[in-house]
Amino acid sequence: MAEAVGTQKISVTVNGVKYEREVNVRTLLTDFIRRELGLTGTHVGCEQGVCGACTILLDGDAVRSCLTLAVQANGRSVTTIEGLGSPEQLHPIQEAFREKHGLQCGFCTPGFIITVSAYLAENPDPSEHEIREALSGNICRCTGYQNIIESVIEAAQKMKAIEPAT
Ligand code: FES
Ligand code: FES
């Protein structure tokens, strides 16, 4: 069947599952993930690229899904917070945030954790200063930054214990 005007068929792998959908070309990736796929762990704060709450991984890179069109994810791989761990088996970064009380209301937490996962993949042994810089694009309205930093330090140690340097 032909595509409707202003729509495009896309194929996106989200958290390891391939989805094929016809979307309006103006649909934001945030809305595609949350409304079309029902993955509401990706939060929406500012909707203008400032707060970082909507951060997801696109082919391993941390991107703002509120500044990305769903059609830009065509043929690519997306990871949301739901793809990192499970309630039964938290991802080490999630575990570190839990242990170090790196969240209060939790609204910003998915964005922080996704940002941290991309950052630690590139820099597994960051200094506190580097962590602060890496997280400067994520806003926590509860202002629990100190515990977030401690969570990331703990997360880096947990990740190193799993994947020792070669
Ligand atoms: S909702 Fe995307 S950066 Fe704030
Ligand atoms: S924990 Fe509430 S906004 Fe960050």
Side-chain angles (χ1 to χ4, degrees):
M1 207 164 71
E3 293 171 9
V5 174
T7 68
Q8 183 181 324
K9 284 198 183 112
I10 61 171
S11 170
V12 188
T13 300
V14 181
N15 302 333
V17 179
K18 190 169 177 183
Y19 297 91
E20 293 185 348
R21 294 283 194 282
E22 186 169 331
V23 297
N24 187 295
V25 293
R26 291 180 299 181
T27 299
L28 294 173
L29 186 54
T30 320
D31 293 331
F32 179 74
I33 290 167
R34 287 176 54 86
R35 295 186 189 165
E36 183 69 31
L37 305 185
L39 296 170
T40 53
T42 300
H43 290 167
V44 184
C46 65
E47 292 186 275
Q48 52 186 343
V50 175
C51 75
C54 67
T55 306
I56 52 101
L57 298 179
L58 187 58
D59 290 338
D61 295 327
V63 303
R64 311 278 208 231
S65 60
C66 76
L67 296 183
T68 308
L69 295 169
V71 294
Q72 291 178 286
N74 188 23
R76 303 175 74 183
S77 176
V78 169
T79 303
T80 68
I81 191 68
E82 289 91 342
L84 278 198
S86 68
E88 299 74 33
Q89 177 129 38
L90 295 178
H91 186 280
I93 301 172
Q94 294 168 322
E95 188 67 37
F97 271 66
R98 189 181 70 83
E99 285 176 13
K100 296 293 179 183
H101 308 289
L103 62 140
Q104 293 175 59
C105 77
F107 188 84
C108 67
T109 313
F112 269 98
I113 288 179
I114 291 285
T115 301
V116 169
S117 73
Y119 181 65
L120 290 182
E122 282 192 4
N123 184 4
D125 197 15
S127 67
E128 181 173 332
H129 177 73
E130 288 173 327
I131 293 170
R132 287 182 187 278
E133 275 197 345
L135 295 182
S136 60
N138 290 71
I139 294 172
C140 174
R141 290 160 186 77
C142 300
T143 66
Y145 292 106
Q146 187 56 40
N147 284 4
I148 290 173
I149 301 302
E150 287 170 18
S151 300
V152 179
I153 292 169
E154 177 68 19
Q157 301 215 338
K158 285 184 186 297
M159 299 287 285
K160 272 194 288 184
I162 296 170
E163 297 165 13
T166 52

